[in-house]
Amino acid sequence: MKLHTLVSATHTPFHADGSLAPEKVDAQAAFLAQQGITHVFITGSTGEAHSLTRDERLEMFRTWEKAAAAHKLHVIAHCGTNCLEDAKAYARAAQEHGFVGVSALAPSYFKPSSVEVLVEWCAAIAACCPNLPFYYYDIPALTQVHLPMDKFLEAADAVIPNLAGIKFTNTDLTAYLKARRACGGKFDLPWGVDEMIVGAFATGARGGVGSTYNFAPKLNQSLVAACLRKDEEEAHRLQAISIRMIDTIASTGYLGTAKALMKKIGVDVGPARLPLGNPTTAQIESLWQALQDQGYNEWALHTSVSAS
């Protein structure tokens, strides 16, 4: 499998009291499909995976299976956690639900001390879903696992038969190029840092997994199209818009504010869970005005929206 497309890293929806709200998933799926998104990455960092119980994550799998079938979406399930047995259970469930791929990041409490240990960890998870492509999820800013991804691919190639590549959420473009060239360039490395899509595509990326694809799909699709036709001036212009949008959202706490923005555009995914924070009503209104001043309705979505 090659994720040569934009894969939306979806939010996990909650009620106002923080309880899981699986009934909101269908509206998420319908909106993304209408915006031209074909693949979703569920229960990842944007999905607050580490704030979910085992039962809640499995409920998200069940719910997304139904929503994806209804709206013709392809699902990649993130299975990473600090508990290997839980990760293996998620991988088995992903295969049972008919998803198109799985991904897992490294444990972040007891961390793998070497590439060899990381390969062993990933192999145990991937073996539980042998019919699905497996992507290691490299996100050292959150896991604090800093291992060379080219060496990981070289070591894992002979050990993980269903290894497809790496979800590369790492700003090190030198490391990205090395990983792209590992094993003759056979592996797929979808990019995961939305603020740096231009740099990634200049280094050979052909797809990405990102959170901003939820609320600015048109912007990101236009940006990638400019990269592919080698229109550098337009790509840089759109990347600058993306960076400004992300900075605006992050000023009041990125994930909680991004979820509030989803509600503004008519897709209520509720608040973020503790320990993440959420913006005040005044901050949400200020955010919305700032995005309007930036021209959000013109470049973010394929259909204009009014504030909800």
Side-chain angles (χ1 to χ4, degrees):
M1 182 172 72
K2 302 289 186 183
L3 293 175
H4 290 178
T5 186
L6 295 184
V7 182
S8 177
T10 59
H11 300 99
T12 294
F14 301 126
H15 297 115
D17 64 1
S19 59
L20 195 69
E23 72 278 3
K24 297 182 178 184
V25 167
D26 188 74
Q28 284 179 269
F31 175 78
L32 291 171
Q34 186 269 334
Q35 291 292 321
I37 296 294
T38 59
H39 290 66
V40 294
F41 186 94
I42 68 170
T43 63
S45 302
T46 302
E48 301 173 76
H50 292 289
S51 298
L52 302 177
T53 67
R54 183 167 173 169
D55 285 346
E56 286 174 332
R57 284 180 76 163
L58 293 174
E59 177 61 23
M60 283 293 96
F61 283 22
R62 289 188 290 269
T63 306
W64 269 105
E65 179 187 12
K66 296 176 183 176
H71 301 288
K72 297 181 173 58
L73 295 172
H74 304 288
V75 179
I76 299 97
H78 171 246
C79 301
T81 178
N82 280 319
C83 174
L84 182 58
E85 291 307 309
D86 280 351
K88 289 161 66 175
Y90 300 143
R92 284 190 290 268
Q95 183 163 289
E96 291 166 1
H97 287 295
F99 297 158
V100 300
V102 298
S103 183
L105 46 65
S108 57
Y109 189 83
F110 295 122
K111 300 174 178 61
S113 57
S114 66
V115 164
E116 291 72 23
V117 174
L118 178 60
V119 169
E120 185 178 3
W121 170 273
C122 290
I125 300 169
C128 294
C129 54
N131 298 329
L132 295 184
F134 176 86
Y135 286 84
Y136 174 59
Y137 181 176
D138 186 43
I139 183 166
L142 291 183
T143 63
Q144 294 302 303
V145 175
H146 299 270
L147 292 171
M149 288 296 97
D150 56 326
K151 302 303 182 186
F152 168 82
L153 291 172
E154 290 166 1
D157 188 20
V159 180
I160 305 176
N162 54 332
L163 180 65
I166 299 171
K167 178 187 181 294
F168 204 93
T169 307
N170 180 343
T171 59
D172 188 340
L173 285 171
T174 300
Y176 183 69
L177 181 59
K178 288 180 179 180
R180 279 198 61 250
R181 296 177 66 85
C183 303
K186 66 185 281 186
F187 290 110
D188 185 29
L189 277 75
W191 184 252
V193 185
D194 297 7
E195 302 94 316
M196 295 179 62
I197 297 174
V198 168
F201 269 74
T203 315
R206 288 299 176 267
V209 182
S211 64
T212 65
Y213 311 160
N214 290 295
F215 48 80
K218 179 182 176 182
L219 171 65
N220 286 286
Q221 290 156 351
S222 300
L223 201 166
V224 167
C227 290
L228 291 175
R229 68 175 182 267
K230 301 189 184 304
D231 185 345
E232 292 186 6
E233 183 176 351
E234 178 66 359
H236 292 164
R237 184 185 75 84
L238 294 171
Q239 186 73 90
I241 291 173
S242 171
I243 291 169
R244 186 180 181 192
M245 173 188 70
I246 292 168
D247 286 348
T248 300
I249 295 169
S251 67
T252 48
Y254 181 78
L255 191 50
T257 306
K259 294 185 85 171
L261 175 57
M262 291 298 292
K263 184 175 182 179
K264 273 289 187 186
I265 63 175
V267 186
D268 183 3
V269 291
R273 273 185 177 173
L274 287 170
L276 297 173
N278 291 285
T280 64
T281 300
Q283 287 173 326
I284 295 168
E285 294 309 314
S286 178
L287 164 78
W288 185 248
Q289 185 58 57
L291 291 178
Q292 294 303 300
D293 292 344
Q294 294 171 27
Y296 178 84
N297 271 347
E298 285 70 48
W299 45 253
L301 304 169
H302 290 288
T303 53
S304 296
V305 295
S306 301
S308 297

